[in-house]
Amino acid sequence: MLWSDPENEPPKELRDMQEMLRRLGLLMALAMLLAMIVLGVM
């Protein structure tokens, strides 16, 4: 990083996409956990 570089703030679209991916990952983890519990109960 050079001192002359602008602040290393990613563009808004990229931040939004990262946030969406993080939420999607969390949702997938919860879904997997739920599936494991359901399959374990059966």
Side-chain angles (χ1 to χ4, degrees):
M1 276 294 179
L2 298 173
W3 291 108
S4 59
D5 284 349
E7 69 280 351
N8 61 356
E9 186 75 14
K12 182 165 173 20
E13 300 89 34
L14 188 62
R15 283 194 310 245
D16 287 347
M17 202 193 324
Q18 284 176 338
E19 187 66 30
M20 196 177 70
L21 284 172
R22 199 172 295 127
R23 284 195 192 126
L24 195 64
L26 190 63
L27 201 66
M28 286 291 287
L30 286 172
M32 287 289 283
L33 189 63
L34 193 63
M36 290 286 193
I37 292 168
V38 169
L39 287 173
V41 167
M42 290 174 119

